[in-house]
Amino acid sequence: MKYLTWTDEAALEVVREHAEKPGPMLLTLQALQERFGYVETSLLPSIAKELNVSRAEVHGVLTYYSDFRTTPPASRQIHLCVAEACQALGVRDVVKELAAAGYEVGERSKDGATDVVGVYCLGNCALGPAALVDGNLCGRVSAKSLVAQVTS
Ligand code: FES
């Protein structure tokens, strides 16, 4: 996924685009993350001011939802489903094989190019183990197929 490089000026434009909408907090944070890949915490006071809420409220929402990032993402993303149906279809072996290849779930890969995130159900249970690779849904994945996708 390609993201814009964070600048406070560009981020504040995004904030202002959403500030007048009803319930702007989540919309604003989601828009920032979609645009830049993360939300820079140094901008929280300005976000709070633009949305007319406290800094604590912005911080609370940003840290409550685990999908929000406060650091720049790696250039490639694997979201591997580790929920029950995918466990029944062998995801635990995929996790072990990924770790052996330098792609520990919950960490950035050893080469620094890929974030590997464990998630719970992608709605693709019948084709488990399932994963999202850079946002694209994949079924019946293996460690080999995932590594091949992020290194191609
Ligand atoms: S449990 Fe893995 S996609 Fe549903």
Side-chain angles (χ1 to χ4, degrees):
M1 279 184 228
K2 289 285 179 200
Y3 296 109
L4 298 177
T5 301
W6 181 281
T7 65
D8 287 353
E9 296 76 27
L12 276 173
E13 277 183 39
V14 173
V15 175
R16 290 179 183 128
E17 285 170 16
H18 295 83
E20 300 303 319
K21 294 179 181 174
M25 178 87 72
L26 275 175
L27 293 174
T28 300
L29 295 176
Q30 287 172 331
L32 288 169
Q33 184 148 311
E34 284 171 15
R35 195 92 41 106
F36 303 102
Y38 73 110
V39 179
E40 176 65 58
T41 55
S42 65
L43 199 70
L44 292 192
S46 299
I47 295 172
K49 185 177 176 194
E50 292 293 331
L51 300 184
N52 198 26
V53 297
S54 71
R55 190 168 59 181
E57 286 177 87
V58 181
H59 182 268
V61 172
L62 184 63
T63 55
Y64 179 79
Y65 295 100
S66 61
D67 278 350
F68 284 129
R69 302 182 52 91
T70 56
T71 56
S75 59
R76 308 299 301 265
Q77 301 286 313
I78 296 173
H79 289 84
L80 179 63
C81 177
V82 293
E84 287 78 4
C86 286
Q87 286 181 29
L89 293 168
V91 78
R92 288 180 181 163
D93 291 336
V94 175
V95 169
K96 286 180 195 164
E97 291 163 16
L98 277 174
Y103 294 82
E104 190 88 39
V105 173
E107 305 286 337
R108 186 157 288 177
S109 63
K110 286 209 163 67
D111 65 4
T114 305
D115 288 330
V116 187
V117 180
V119 296
Y120 293 89
C121 197
L122 296 167
N124 197 32
C125 312
L127 295 176
L132 289 172
V133 178
D134 296 333
N136 298 314
L137 184 61
C138 307
R140 298 203 172 109
V141 300
S142 65
K144 191 175 176 181
S145 71
L146 291 171
V147 171
Q149 287 188 69
V150 295
T151 55
S152 63

PDB file of all heavy atoms in Angstrom, residues 80-89 91 119-131 137-138, ligand 1:
ATOM      1  N   LEU A  80      -2.906 -12.043   9.148  1.00  0.00           N
ATOM      2  CA  LEU A  80      -3.170 -13.484   9.134  1.00  0.00           C
ATOM      3  C   LEU A  80      -4.255 -13.808  10.144  1.00  0.00           C
ATOM      4  O   LEU A  80      -4.133 -13.461  11.327  1.00  0.00           O
ATOM      5  CB  LEU A  80      -1.877 -14.239   9.479  1.00  0.00           C
ATOM      6  CG  LEU A  80      -1.977 -15.765   9.523  1.00  0.00           C
ATOM      7  CD1 LEU A  80      -2.335 -16.338   8.156  1.00  0.00           C
ATOM      8  CD2 LEU A  80      -0.664 -16.363  10.029  1.00  0.00           C
ATOM      9  N   CYS A  81      -5.281 -14.492   9.693  1.00  0.00           N
ATOM     10  CA  CYS A  81      -6.360 -14.885  10.606  1.00  0.00           C
ATOM     11  C   CYS A  81      -5.873 -16.028  11.495  1.00  0.00           C
ATOM     12  O   CYS A  81      -5.406 -17.055  10.995  1.00  0.00           O
ATOM     13  CB  CYS A  81      -7.598 -15.321   9.834  1.00  0.00           C
ATOM     14  SG  CYS A  81      -8.900 -15.892  10.961  1.00  0.00           S
ATOM     15  N   VAL A  82      -6.008 -15.818  12.796  1.00  0.00           N
ATOM     16  CA  VAL A  82      -5.605 -16.853  13.746  1.00  0.00           C
ATOM     17  C   VAL A  82      -6.806 -17.332  14.573  1.00  0.00           C
ATOM     18  O   VAL A  82      -6.634 -17.895  15.639  1.00  0.00           O
ATOM     19  CB  VAL A  82      -4.460 -16.350  14.664  1.00  0.00           C
ATOM     20  CG1 VAL A  82      -3.196 -16.126  13.860  1.00  0.00           C
ATOM     21  CG2 VAL A  82      -4.855 -15.077  15.402  1.00  0.00           C
ATOM     22  N   ALA A  83      -8.012 -17.093  14.077  1.00  0.00           N
ATOM     23  CA  ALA A  83      -9.224 -17.491  14.797  1.00  0.00           C
ATOM     24  C   ALA A  83      -9.496 -18.983  14.611  1.00  0.00           C
ATOM     25  O   ALA A  83      -8.800 -19.680  13.871  1.00  0.00           O
ATOM     26  CB  ALA A  83     -10.406 -16.652  14.315  1.00  0.00           C
ATOM     27  N   GLU A  84     -10.542 -19.460  15.276  1.00  0.00           N
ATOM     28  CA  GLU A  84     -10.778 -20.891  15.444  1.00  0.00           C
ATOM     29  C   GLU A  84     -10.867 -21.673  14.132  1.00  0.00           C
ATOM     30  O   GLU A  84     -10.248 -22.728  13.994  1.00  0.00           O
ATOM     31  CB  GLU A  84     -12.048 -21.125  16.276  1.00  0.00           C
ATOM     32  CG  GLU A  84     -11.886 -20.806  17.735  1.00  0.00           C
ATOM     33  CD  GLU A  84     -11.938 -19.315  18.062  1.00  0.00           C
ATOM     34  OE1 GLU A  84     -12.175 -18.500  17.138  1.00  0.00           O
ATOM     35  OE2 GLU A  84     -11.732 -18.963  19.226  1.00  0.00           O
ATOM     36  N   ALA A  85     -11.658 -21.200  13.178  1.00  0.00           N
ATOM     37  CA  ALA A  85     -11.823 -21.961  11.937  1.00  0.00           C
ATOM     38  C   ALA A  85     -10.493 -22.097  11.206  1.00  0.00           C
ATOM     39  O   ALA A  85     -10.170 -23.157  10.663  1.00  0.00           O
ATOM     40  CB  ALA A  85     -12.867 -21.298  11.030  1.00  0.00           C
ATOM     41  N   CYS A  86      -9.721 -21.039  11.210  1.00  0.00           N
ATOM     42  CA  CYS A  86      -8.413 -21.117  10.549  1.00  0.00           C
ATOM     43  C   CYS A  86      -7.439 -21.969  11.361  1.00  0.00           C
ATOM     44  O   CYS A  86      -6.571 -22.626  10.783  1.00  0.00           O
ATOM     45  CB  CYS A  86      -7.864 -19.709  10.301  1.00  0.00           C
ATOM     46  SG  CYS A  86      -8.719 -18.873   8.937  1.00  0.00           S
ATOM     47  N   GLN A  87      -7.611 -21.996  12.684  1.00  0.00           N
ATOM     48  CA  GLN A  87      -6.793 -22.909  13.482  1.00  0.00           C
ATOM     49  C   GLN A  87      -7.104 -24.349  13.104  1.00  0.00           C
ATOM     50  O   GLN A  87      -6.201 -25.177  12.971  1.00  0.00           O
ATOM     51  CB  GLN A  87      -7.045 -22.696  14.970  1.00  0.00           C
ATOM     52  CG  GLN A  87      -6.421 -21.426  15.510  1.00  0.00           C
ATOM     53  CD  GLN A  87      -6.655 -21.250  16.999  1.00  0.00           C
ATOM     54  OE1 GLN A  87      -6.795 -22.221  17.726  1.00  0.00           O
ATOM     55  NE2 GLN A  87      -6.699 -20.008  17.429  1.00  0.00           N
ATOM     56  N   ALA A  88      -8.394 -24.644  12.921  1.00  0.00           N
ATOM     57  CA  ALA A  88      -8.775 -26.008  12.535  1.00  0.00           C
ATOM     58  C   ALA A  88      -8.215 -26.381  11.172  1.00  0.00           C
ATOM     59  O   ALA A  88      -8.048 -27.565  10.863  1.00  0.00           O
ATOM     60  CB  ALA A  88     -10.300 -26.129  12.526  1.00  0.00           C
ATOM     61  N   LEU A  89      -7.921 -25.373  10.353  1.00  0.00           N
ATOM     62  CA  LEU A  89      -7.410 -25.627   9.006  1.00  0.00           C
ATOM     63  C   LEU A  89      -5.891 -25.408   8.909  1.00  0.00           C
ATOM     64  O   LEU A  89      -5.339 -25.302   7.813  1.00  0.00           O
ATOM     65  CB  LEU A  89      -8.154 -24.746   8.000  1.00  0.00           C
ATOM     66  CG  LEU A  89      -9.639 -25.125   7.862  1.00  0.00           C
ATOM     67  CD1 LEU A  89     -10.406 -24.063   7.086  1.00  0.00           C
ATOM     68  CD2 LEU A  89      -9.784 -26.481   7.176  1.00  0.00           C
ATOM     69  N   VAL A  91      -3.657 -22.999  10.656  1.00  0.00           N
ATOM     70  CA  VAL A  91      -2.931 -21.723  10.730  1.00  0.00           C
ATOM     71  C   VAL A  91      -1.792 -21.767  11.757  1.00  0.00           C
ATOM     72  O   VAL A  91      -0.805 -21.042  11.625  1.00  0.00           O
ATOM     73  CB  VAL A  91      -3.882 -20.538  10.987  1.00  0.00           C
ATOM     74  CG1 VAL A  91      -4.311 -20.453  12.448  1.00  0.00           C
ATOM     75  CG2 VAL A  91      -3.190 -19.238  10.565  1.00  0.00           C
ATOM     76  N   VAL A 119      -5.077 -11.480  13.211  1.00  0.00           N
ATOM     77  CA  VAL A 119      -6.434 -10.930  13.288  1.00  0.00           C
ATOM     78  C   VAL A 119      -7.415 -12.076  13.536  1.00  0.00           C
ATOM     79  O   VAL A 119      -7.056 -13.256  13.426  1.00  0.00           O
ATOM     80  CB  VAL A 119      -6.817 -10.156  12.000  1.00  0.00           C
ATOM     81  CG1 VAL A 119      -5.931  -8.934  11.819  1.00  0.00           C
ATOM     82  CG2 VAL A 119      -6.743 -11.054  10.773  1.00  0.00           C
ATOM     83  N   TYR A 120      -8.641 -11.719  13.876  1.00  0.00           N
ATOM     84  CA  TYR A 120      -9.628 -12.721  14.241  1.00  0.00           C
ATOM     85  C   TYR A 120     -10.806 -12.702  13.281  1.00  0.00           C
ATOM     86  O   TYR A 120     -11.681 -11.876  13.409  1.00  0.00           O
ATOM     87  CB  TYR A 120     -10.061 -12.528  15.698  1.00  0.00           C
ATOM     88  CG  TYR A 120      -8.905 -12.840  16.602  1.00  0.00           C
ATOM     89  CD1 TYR A 120      -7.996 -11.854  16.970  1.00  0.00           C
ATOM     90  CD2 TYR A 120      -8.655 -14.145  17.006  1.00  0.00           C
ATOM     91  CE1 TYR A 120      -6.882 -12.146  17.748  1.00  0.00           C
ATOM     92  CE2 TYR A 120      -7.544 -14.447  17.779  1.00  0.00           C
ATOM     93  CZ  TYR A 120      -6.668 -13.444  18.141  1.00  0.00           C
ATOM     94  OH  TYR A 120      -5.566 -13.750  18.885  1.00  0.00           O
ATOM     95  N   CYS A 121     -10.768 -13.582  12.328  1.00  0.00           N
ATOM     96  CA  CYS A 121     -11.781 -13.860  11.315  1.00  0.00           C
ATOM     97  C   CYS A 121     -11.864 -12.772  10.258  1.00  0.00           C
ATOM     98  O   CYS A 121     -12.192 -11.627  10.539  1.00  0.00           O
ATOM     99  CB  CYS A 121     -13.165 -14.136  11.894  1.00  0.00           C
ATOM    100  SG  CYS A 121     -14.209 -14.946  10.658  1.00  0.00           S
ATOM    101  N   LEU A 122     -11.602 -13.192   9.054  1.00  0.00           N
ATOM    102  CA  LEU A 122     -11.693 -12.309   7.894  1.00  0.00           C
ATOM    103  C   LEU A 122     -12.940 -12.631   7.069  1.00  0.00           C
ATOM    104  O   LEU A 122     -13.096 -12.130   5.962  1.00  0.00           O
ATOM    105  CB  LEU A 122     -10.434 -12.462   7.032  1.00  0.00           C
ATOM    106  CG  LEU A 122      -9.136 -12.021   7.709  1.00  0.00           C
ATOM    107  CD1 LEU A 122      -7.928 -12.492   6.918  1.00  0.00           C
ATOM    108  CD2 LEU A 122      -9.108 -10.507   7.883  1.00  0.00           C
ATOM    109  N   GLY A 123     -13.801 -13.501   7.612  1.00  0.00           N
ATOM    110  CA  GLY A 123     -15.010 -13.868   6.884  1.00  0.00           C
ATOM    111  C   GLY A 123     -14.719 -14.786   5.713  1.00  0.00           C
ATOM    112  O   GLY A 123     -15.516 -14.883   4.784  1.00  0.00           O
ATOM    113  N   ASN A 124     -13.606 -15.458   5.755  1.00  0.00           N
ATOM    114  CA  ASN A 124     -13.200 -16.349   4.669  1.00  0.00           C
ATOM    115  C   ASN A 124     -12.894 -17.743   5.244  1.00  0.00           C
ATOM    116  O   ASN A 124     -11.988 -18.434   4.793  1.00  0.00           O
ATOM    117  CB  ASN A 124     -11.957 -15.764   3.975  1.00  0.00           C
ATOM    118  CG  ASN A 124     -11.702 -16.360   2.621  1.00  0.00           C
ATOM    119  OD1 ASN A 124     -12.628 -16.735   1.900  1.00  0.00           O
ATOM    120  ND2 ASN A 124     -10.443 -16.457   2.261  1.00  0.00           N
ATOM    121  N   CYS A 125     -13.683 -18.124   6.245  1.00  0.00           N
ATOM    122  CA  CYS A 125     -13.399 -19.318   7.044  1.00  0.00           C
ATOM    123  C   CYS A 125     -13.333 -20.590   6.196  1.00  0.00           C
ATOM    124  O   CYS A 125     -12.496 -21.454   6.447  1.00  0.00           O
ATOM    125  CB  CYS A 125     -14.453 -19.499   8.124  1.00  0.00           C
ATOM    126  SG  CYS A 125     -14.799 -17.996   9.060  1.00  0.00           S
ATOM    127  N   ALA A 126     -14.195 -20.712   5.210  1.00  0.00           N
ATOM    128  CA  ALA A 126     -14.230 -21.940   4.406  1.00  0.00           C
ATOM    129  C   ALA A 126     -12.948 -22.130   3.609  1.00  0.00           C
ATOM    130  O   ALA A 126     -12.637 -23.247   3.192  1.00  0.00           O
ATOM    131  CB  ALA A 126     -15.426 -21.919   3.461  1.00  0.00           C
ATOM    132  N   LEU A 127     -12.221 -21.042   3.383  1.00  0.00           N
ATOM    133  CA  LEU A 127     -10.976 -21.128   2.624  1.00  0.00           C
ATOM    134  C   LEU A 127      -9.762 -20.855   3.501  1.00  0.00           C
ATOM    135  O   LEU A 127      -8.736 -20.357   3.056  1.00  0.00           O
ATOM    136  CB  LEU A 127     -11.005 -20.158   1.436  1.00  0.00           C
ATOM    137  CG  LEU A 127     -12.047 -20.470   0.374  1.00  0.00           C
ATOM    138  CD1 LEU A 127     -12.044 -19.397  -0.704  1.00  0.00           C
ATOM    139  CD2 LEU A 127     -11.797 -21.838  -0.257  1.00  0.00           C
ATOM    140  N   GLY A 128      -9.896 -21.189   4.789  1.00  0.00           N
ATOM    141  CA  GLY A 128      -8.786 -20.989   5.710  1.00  0.00           C
ATOM    142  C   GLY A 128      -7.644 -21.941   5.445  1.00  0.00           C
ATOM    143  O   GLY A 128      -7.828 -22.951   4.765  1.00  0.00           O
ATOM    144  N   PRO A 129      -6.473 -21.641   5.953  1.00  0.00           N
ATOM    145  CA  PRO A 129      -6.129 -20.403   6.631  1.00  0.00           C
ATOM    146  C   PRO A 129      -6.228 -19.203   5.676  1.00  0.00           C
ATOM    147  O   PRO A 129      -5.831 -19.292   4.516  1.00  0.00           O
ATOM    148  CB  PRO A 129      -4.681 -20.623   7.051  1.00  0.00           C
ATOM    149  CG  PRO A 129      -4.435 -22.084   6.982  1.00  0.00           C
ATOM    150  CD  PRO A 129      -5.355 -22.598   5.922  1.00  0.00           C
ATOM    151  N   ALA A 130      -6.770 -18.117   6.222  1.00  0.00           N
ATOM    152  CA  ALA A 130      -7.020 -16.933   5.406  1.00  0.00           C
ATOM    153  C   ALA A 130      -6.119 -15.787   5.847  1.00  0.00           C
ATOM    154  O   ALA A 130      -5.686 -15.721   6.990  1.00  0.00           O
ATOM    155  CB  ALA A 130      -8.486 -16.509   5.529  1.00  0.00           C
ATOM    156  N   ALA A 131      -5.856 -14.894   4.912  1.00  0.00           N
ATOM    157  CA  ALA A 131      -5.017 -13.723   5.215  1.00  0.00           C
ATOM    158  C   ALA A 131      -5.378 -12.592   4.273  1.00  0.00           C
ATOM    159  O   ALA A 131      -5.952 -12.811   3.198  1.00  0.00           O
ATOM    160  CB  ALA A 131      -3.537 -14.079   5.062  1.00  0.00           C
ATOM    161  N   LEU A 137      -7.630 -10.176  -0.034  1.00  0.00           N
ATOM    162  CA  LEU A 137      -8.006 -11.396   0.666  1.00  0.00           C
ATOM    163  C   LEU A 137      -7.466 -12.627  -0.052  1.00  0.00           C
ATOM    164  O   LEU A 137      -7.625 -12.777  -1.261  1.00  0.00           O
ATOM    165  CB  LEU A 137      -9.536 -11.479   0.767  1.00  0.00           C
ATOM    166  CG  LEU A 137     -10.106 -12.641   1.556  1.00  0.00           C
ATOM    167  CD1 LEU A 137      -9.646 -12.599   3.021  1.00  0.00           C
ATOM    168  CD2 LEU A 137     -11.631 -12.628   1.481  1.00  0.00           C
ATOM    169  N   CYS A 138      -6.836 -13.519   0.718  1.00  0.00           N
ATOM    170  CA  CYS A 138      -6.272 -14.749   0.172  1.00  0.00           C
ATOM    171  C   CYS A 138      -6.767 -15.923   1.011  1.00  0.00           C
ATOM    172  O   CYS A 138      -6.879 -15.812   2.230  1.00  0.00           O
ATOM    173  CB  CYS A 138      -4.746 -14.731   0.255  1.00  0.00           C
ATOM    174  SG  CYS A 138      -3.976 -13.277  -0.462  1.00  0.00           S
TER     175      CYS A 138
HETATM  176  S1  FES B   1     -11.734 -17.943  11.216  1.00  0.00           S
HETATM  177 FE1  FES B   1     -10.241 -17.368   9.759  1.00  0.00          FE
HETATM  178  S2  FES B   1     -11.393 -16.363   8.212  1.00  0.00           S
HETATM  179 FE2  FES B   1     -12.857 -16.873   9.705  1.00  0.00          FE
END
